[in-house]
Amino acid sequence: DLDAVLRAIVQRARSLLGTEVAYMTLTDPERGDTYMRVTEGSVSARFQQLRLGMGEGLGGLVAQTARPYVTDDYPDDARFQHTGPIDTAVGEEGLVAILGVPLLLGGRDVIGVLYAADRRARVFEREQIALLGSFAAHAAVAIDTTRLLGETRDALARLESANETIERAGEVHDRLTELVLR
């Protein structure tokens, strides 16, 4: 169950990093943005339904560059493209310090971002960034495995359907052969 695995990853990341909030966004290739998939410790409905455009906010920058970013004061950090919807949701949640790391497939394909955040200023150490990166790698593998499993199931269903068609054709062939022989 992918949802249970992702929820467990986010919960453990929050617990081990000692943050008040942890969350994960996934890339939506059809819309060209990212959407909130799992939150832990969040209290704001607006925040839990947030979508980030590529390059917008800290997470959009992580998704766009495939590199971790950290801020100890998100509202006043000018390195990120602030937008009204993002700043409103982050403000409603009360987040100040945010760490975001990419979920990578194949070394460069960003499929999402894993975050750890606090409602107060805080410095994230290199070890914590590396730990969150490890959790992100596990999440990426789980997501990719689920995708591959789905593709395998679809291919198996198509093969079973083709096999049934071949069996019916064989039965028809045997009947026609029997009729011809009579």
Side-chain angles (χ1 to χ4, degrees), residues 120-131:
R120 58 181 167 71
R122 138 186 209 163
V123 174
F124 288 97
E125 303 296 331
R126 287 184 184 191
E127 295 82 17
Q128 294 171 316
I129 296 169
L131 179 60

Side-chain angles (χ1 to χ4, degrees), residues 24-147:
M24 181 185 300
T25 59
L26 295 182
T27 303
D28 183 343
E30 292 177 12
R31 290 182 59 170
D33 64 2
T34 62
Y35 64 95
M36 198 68 73
R37 176 68 186 258
V38 180
T39 63
E40 179 70 22
S42 172
V43 295
S44 165
R46 181 188 315 255
F47 182 78
Q48 294 166 11
Q49 298 168 4
L50 187 61
R51 294 189 80 95
L52 300 159
M54 290 299 182
E56 295 178 350
L58 181 142
L61 191 58
V62 171
Q64 186 178 49
T65 64
R67 295 180 51 208
Y69 279 89
V70 63
T71 181
D72 59 355
D73 187 10
Y74 181 82
D76 292 329
D77 197 327
R79 295 178 298 159
F80 312 111
Q81 179 184 344
H82 291 268
T83 67
I86 295 171
D87 285 355
T88 300
V90 169
E92 192 173 289
E93 188 63 52
L95 300 181
V96 177
I98 304 174
L99 163 62
V101 296
L103 278 67
L104 294 170
L105 284 182
R108 273 308 278 169
D109 293 332
V110 179
I111 60 170
V113 178
L114 179 61
Y115 304 84
D118 268 327
R119 293 182 178 97
R120 58 181 167 71
R122 138 186 209 163
V123 174
F124 288 97
E125 303 296 331
R126 287 184 184 191
E127 295 82 17
Q128 294 171 316
I129 296 169
L131 179 60
L132 195 62
S134 296
F135 280 116
H138 286 294
V141 168
I143 291 166
D144 194 42
T145 300
T146 300
R147 180 188 60 79

